[in-house]
Amino acid sequence: MNQPSLVDDLKSGLDAPICLTWELTYACNLQCVHCLSSSGRRDPDELTSAEAFGVLDELASMQVFYVNIGGGEPMIRKDFFDIVDHAVERGIGVKFSTNGAYLTPERAQRLAATPYLDVQISLDGLDAATNDPVRGKGSYEIARRAMDNLADAGFGPFKISIVVTRHNVGQLDGFKALADRYGATLRVTRLRPSGRGADSWHELHPTSVQQREIYRWLLEHGADVLTGDSFFHLNALGEQPLPGLNMCGAGRVVCLIDPIGDVYACPFVIHDEFKAGSVRDAGGFSGVWRNSHTFRELRRPQSAGACASCGQFDACQGGCMAAKYFTGLPLDGPDPECVNGHGEPALKVAGPHPIMAVDHSRAVPILLSRR
């Protein structure tokens, strides 16, 4: 009898999430055109310090061993370090993403002195000309200054995180060299059409030729580069599987807590369709994780749907749920960036993309034309 694989076990869900993202605030000093949570303005109903501590206490009881903290810009919260310290005191490691604007030399020293802490600086171009049209004027210099502050503080191997777009694919070698110079780790993630990314995705997402370029680059460098579950759709190219989680972990091993405590299947599907509950509900986070109808449905065996006739379904698992949903494609349809070309005709007949559950943008951003 065939034994269940690790992937099969993960698909049925675990007692606690392996990868929990917690957006502490929607407040942000930047207005990135691909922001997955449409951040900008603080939500007045965001979790209080006491509520945040309570969530951490519950996560500790569930034996969650780390949380990914983001936003918005998490360091904007006045209680940011209090939340980090409470997590570490409860044995929960913290990995947080920042644009670097508030990462002063003094704060870099404090971060360097905090155990079980990992810092990730976001950067989407090797120069301001590539980065700033996406992340905002001056954001390149802000990120580089934050990296310098961490290096000067002796923080150790922090992370540099990039979202791959058609404008920076050719800079992958340069990003890796930059990370190596800092003694940092490079994290490469896929552009999803979530949040404001729904409006910029058609201009920013890599071309089909570039998708193959990314695949080859990751095959060569993947052992030294983090990707999470970003690129499992590229496995349909068939040469060999990429490193990382080669499946959609939404609601199975992955989930998101947003700034007001709502729980979603993953960071890229902030929409009522994928809302599982709230940490403010009577059962708390554990009740949502274990009993949510939304999560139970996601953990059931999934049909290959329109991809059933494709010989590569087992390799790519049909692609990213969020990428399909927010481009107007059915969840059992092909990934919009299907490397076998099935996504393009599906996009031509797709309806309008759904609107995110929340939008905290300060104003409608304008993507500067680069070509």
Side-chain angles (χ1 to χ4, degrees):
M1 180 181 295
N2 292 332
Q3 296 297 313
S5 68
L6 175 60
V7 169
D8 290 332
D9 289 340
L10 295 178
K11 283 182 177 180
S12 63
L14 300 178
D15 289 339
I18 293 176
C19 182
L20 189 156
T21 297
W22 186 358
E23 295 180 347
L24 290 185
T25 184
Y26 285 122
C28 192
N29 55 301
L30 298 182
Q31 191 85 334
C32 300
V33 300
H34 58 13
C35 178
L36 63 91
S37 59
S38 299
S39 289
R41 293 175 289 108
R42 175 182 176 271
D43 192 303
D45 199 30
E46 70 183 26
L47 296 176
T48 65
S49 298
E51 287 177 312
F53 296 159
V55 171
L56 289 170
D57 292 343
E58 188 176 9
L59 296 181
S61 70
M62 294 175 68
Q63 297 184 313
V64 171
F65 55 91
Y66 81 90
V67 294
N68 293 303
I69 287 178
E73 170 49 54
M75 295 190 78
I76 284 181
R77 279 193 63 140
K78 294 180 180 179
D79 58 359
F80 170 75
F81 280 103
D82 296 330
I83 291 172
V84 170
D85 290 344
H86 192 86
V88 171
E89 288 166 4
R90 296 307 310 269
I92 302 172
V94 173
K95 301 182 180 184
F96 82 93
S97 299
T98 176
N99 59 48
Y102 301 91
L103 213 165
T104 63
E106 294 76 20
R107 289 179 173 179
Q109 291 283 351
R110 179 168 180 178
L111 294 171
T114 303
Y116 309 117
L117 181 68
D118 193 13
V119 183
Q120 181 171 281
I121 308 294
S122 298
L123 188 72
D124 288 332
L126 277 179
D127 48 42
T130 307
N131 178 85
D132 289 8
V134 174
R135 301 192 59 82
K137 185 176 181 180
S139 57
Y140 174 80
E141 292 299 331
I142 287 172
R144 291 300 305 272
R145 183 163 58 246
M147 294 177 200
D148 290 341
N149 290 341
L150 287 174
D152 291 345
F155 179 86
F158 59 89
K159 292 181 175 62
I160 299 173
S161 178
I162 70 166
V163 177
V164 182
T165 71
R166 68 181 57 179
H167 302 310
N168 66 17
V169 170
Q171 297 181 344
L172 286 172
D173 283 338
F175 281 120
K176 183 64 170 62
L178 177 67
D180 290 345
R181 287 201 299 273
Y182 277 109
T185 301
L186 182 63
R187 182 171 183 263
V188 181
T189 61
R190 181 184 179 185
L191 174 71
R192 264 87 164 197
S194 306
R196 287 195 292 271
D199 296 320
S200 60
W201 183 81
H202 287 283
E203 181 173 348
L204 287 181
H205 80 93
T207 66
S208 57
V209 172
Q210 289 176 326
Q211 295 281 352
R212 286 163 171 75
E213 184 179 344
I214 295 166
Y215 177 73
R216 289 190 294 270
W217 191 88
L218 290 174
L219 283 180
E220 183 177 351
H221 299 280
D224 302 314
V225 174
L226 301 178
T227 59
D229 64 353
S230 285
F231 299 104
F232 65 92
H233 71 294
L234 297 181
N235 287 329
L237 290 170
E239 295 176 29
Q240 62 186 83
L242 294 172
L245 181 61
N246 291 319
M247 56 168 273
C248 174
R252 296 157 165 172
V253 297
V254 173
C255 72
L256 166 83
I257 302 175
D258 82 351
I260 63 173
D262 289 338
V263 182
Y264 295 89
C266 92
F268 306 105
V269 287
I270 306 176
H271 190 279
D272 288 345
E273 182 79 13
F274 304 98
K275 181 180 173 181
S278 170
V279 301
R280 286 169 166 160
D281 293 342
F285 174 78
S286 61
V288 177
W289 179 257
R290 292 166 180 161
N291 303 317
S292 160
H293 172 75
T294 299
F295 286 173
R296 288 201 304 269
E297 286 298 305
L298 287 171
R299 292 164 188 167
R300 292 175 56 190
Q302 303 295 308
S303 167
C307 297
S309 61
C310 178
Q312 296 299 324
F313 176 78
D314 288 342
C316 77
Q317 301 290 310
C320 174
M321 178 176 70
K324 299 177 192 181
Y325 188 74
F326 286 113
T327 52
L329 300 180
L331 297 187
D332 63 353
D335 189 288
E337 294 181 298
C338 170
V339 294
N340 288 324
H342 301 306
E344 294 178 11
L347 285 172
K348 290 179 181 179
V349 297
H353 64 76
I355 299 173
M356 294 283 282
V358 292
D359 189 336
H360 291 82
S361 303
R362 292 191 301 274
V364 178
I366 299 174
L367 179 65
L368 301 181
S369 176
R370 293 178 40 83
R371 291 183 179 175

